[in-house]
Amino acid sequence: AARWFTEQLGGIDGAEARAYLERRGIAETTRKRFGFGFAPDSRTRLKTALKEFGIEKLVDTGLLIEPEGDKEPYDRFRGRLMIPIRDQRGRVIAFGGRILGEGEPKYLNSPETSLFDKGRTLYNLDLASPATRSARRLTVVEGYMDVIALDRAGIAEAVAPNGTAVTEAQLERMWRLDPNPFLCFDGDSAGQKAGIRAATRALPHLGAERTLRFVELPAGQDPDDVVRNGGRDAVEALLSTPEPLVERLWRHELQAQPLTTPEARAGLRQRLIEHSQAIGDQALARLYRDDWLRRFQDEVNPPRQFQPQ
C-alpha cells in the first residue's frame, strides 16, 4: 500500500499533493525519507490495486472500511496526502492522511489494528532512535509535519504521538531513548493543555533519572512555523532554555485563577499537594511537595523587604 501511494504521488493524480509539498518547502529527498504518498479521491482505486491480498486483509489492516449490511468495502483514504507510520524496524504499520483542500478531519489516521496500537507507538521512531543516540536528546512534538520540519532543519531526533494524548506506554518508549525528553508542543491553548496532560500522566512514573522538560513555543506557532521563520538556530534557542516539570506544573496551577480569596489559595495548595501525592517515588514526592509549598508560601506571604533607616 505504501509503495502504491508513493506511485500515485508521482503520477498525474498526485499533482495537487506535489504542489502542496512544494509550498511547504518539502523537497524530493524529504519525500523519499518519510515515504510520502497520495491516495486518489476514489472509493475503489486502492482496493482494486491490492485485490490480490483479499478483502479481509485490507479491512484488517485498516486500508478498507467495511460498512454494515451488504454494502461493499471501500477505500478508507481518499484525496489525501499519505504519511506512513513505521515501527522501530522501519516496517509500515499504519498511515496518517492529510486532506489537501477544505474538509474534516484535517488528519485521518489508520484505526487500531493487529499491527497498529497507536497508544504504544510513536511516529518516526525508526529514524529518531539512532539519531537520539548520537544527539543524546529527544524532542517530542505534536504532529507528523512538526517532526518532518525539525528533521529538515537538521534535528532528526524527533517523534510525535499518533494523534492522541501522550500515553503511559509512549512515555516509557520516550524514556528508553532519553531519560529527560523535551516536550515541544504548539504555542496555542490546545498545545498547552496537551503538555499539562502529559505532565500529570508522567507524575506516577517519575524518578531521579526520569522526568520531562517543556519548551514554550511563541504564541500561535508550531515547530514548523519556528523552523520556517528562524531555521535550526531558532529551534536550538528554544531548546536551550527548557522549563522543568516542577516549574511547568507550578506555573499552570498558579495561573488557573486569581488568588484573591482564601478559597482560591486553599484550592491552589490542595492541587499542588495532590500532584505531589501522585508521584510514585516517595523521596521525589516529598521534594516536589516541599518545593511547591515553599513557592506557595512565597506567593501568598511574600518576604518583607526591609528598608534601611
Side-chain angles (χ1 to χ4, degrees):
R3 283 196 296 270
W4 187 80
F5 287 138
T6 299
E7 289 169 6
Q8 305 316 299
L9 179 61
I12 296 171
D13 290 333
E16 184 184 357
R18 293 195 303 273
Y20 169 82
L21 291 172
E22 286 175 16
R23 288 196 301 273
R24 294 290 294 255
I26 296 174
E28 178 73 16
T29 52
T30 302
R31 273 170 49 182
K32 289 181 177 177
R33 176 169 166 81
F34 289 95
F36 278 103
F38 176 67
D41 193 5
S42 163
R43 292 169 66 90
T44 59
R45 288 277 295 279
L46 178 72
K47 176 182 171 182
T48 303
L50 301 187
K51 62 184 179 183
E52 65 189 273
F53 295 103
I55 296 295
E56 186 178 344
K57 280 186 179 177
L58 298 179
V59 171
D60 285 349
T61 51
L63 293 169
L64 298 186
I65 292 175
E66 187 170 40
E68 293 182 6
D70 297 329
K71 295 179 180 176
E72 283 289 309
Y74 57 91
D75 293 2
R76 178 179 300 275
F77 300 102
R78 305 180 303 280
R80 289 178 179 269
L81 181 71
M82 298 301 292
I83 304 167
I85 300 167
R86 301 182 288 226
D87 67 10
Q88 194 151 3
R89 291 168 57 184
R91 300 173 298 184
V92 177
I93 55 173
F95 292 94
R98 192 195 192 286
I99 201 162
L100 291 172
E102 297 298 318
E104 292 293 334
K106 185 163 80 170
Y107 283 95
L108 176 67
N109 293 331
S110 290
E112 300 264 327
T113 69
S114 56
L115 295 177
F116 179 51
D117 182 342
K118 64 183 176 183
R120 301 190 69 83
T121 189
L122 293 163
Y123 175 67
N124 199 43
L125 200 55
D126 58 319
L127 298 179
S129 294
T132 299
R133 286 193 290 274
S134 57
R136 305 182 72 84
R137 69 179 183 187
L138 176 68
T139 302
V140 184
V141 291
E142 282 189 70
Y144 310 125
M145 300 305 284
D146 298 322
V147 167
I148 292 161
L150 291 186
D151 187 88
R152 284 168 46 220
I155 299 171
E157 63 282 1
V159 296
N162 295 290
T164 65
V166 174
T167 66
E168 283 89 350
Q170 288 171 333
L171 285 167
E172 289 291 343
R173 277 193 173 272
M174 293 174 201
W175 282 325
R176 268 182 246 155
L177 296 173
D178 179 8
N180 196 9
F182 296 98
L183 263 61
C184 187
F185 290 169
D186 296 357
D188 57 14
S189 61
Q192 297 309 304
K193 286 176 184 173
I196 293 301
R197 282 198 300 270
T200 54
R201 189 155 283 174
L203 288 175
H205 312 287
L206 297 182
E209 297 293 326
R210 290 177 17 148
T211 189
L212 298 173
R213 291 178 285 182
F214 295 82
V215 175
E216 186 97 349
L217 294 185
Q221 291 194 18
D222 60 23
D224 193 18
D225 296 321
V226 175
V227 169
R228 278 188 285 179
N229 292 334
R232 178 169 185 163
D233 289 348
V235 179
E236 294 290 358
L238 292 169
L239 295 176
S240 68
T241 55
E243 192 173 26
L245 193 154
V246 66
E247 177 71 34
R248 183 69 192 92
L249 276 179
W250 160 257
R251 185 163 62 87
H252 170 71
E253 296 299 357
L254 181 63
Q255 294 171 350
Q257 64 183 120
L259 301 179
T260 51
T261 66
E263 291 83 359
R265 294 191 286 274
L268 171 61
R269 188 177 189 277
Q270 184 58 34
R271 292 194 303 275
L272 294 171
I273 289 172
E274 287 173 0
H275 283 320
S276 67
Q277 289 172 340
I279 298 172
D281 183 316
Q282 293 305 300
L284 187 60
R286 284 193 297 272
L287 290 170
Y288 264 71
R289 179 188 170 110
D290 292 348
D291 185 291
W292 280 332
L293 291 183
R294 176 184 54 75
R295 293 170 190 252
F296 174 80
Q297 289 299 331
D298 289 346
E299 189 69 31
V300 174
N301 301 303
R304 293 180 181 176
Q305 297 294 322
F306 291 100
Q307 298 295 327
Q309 297 294 325

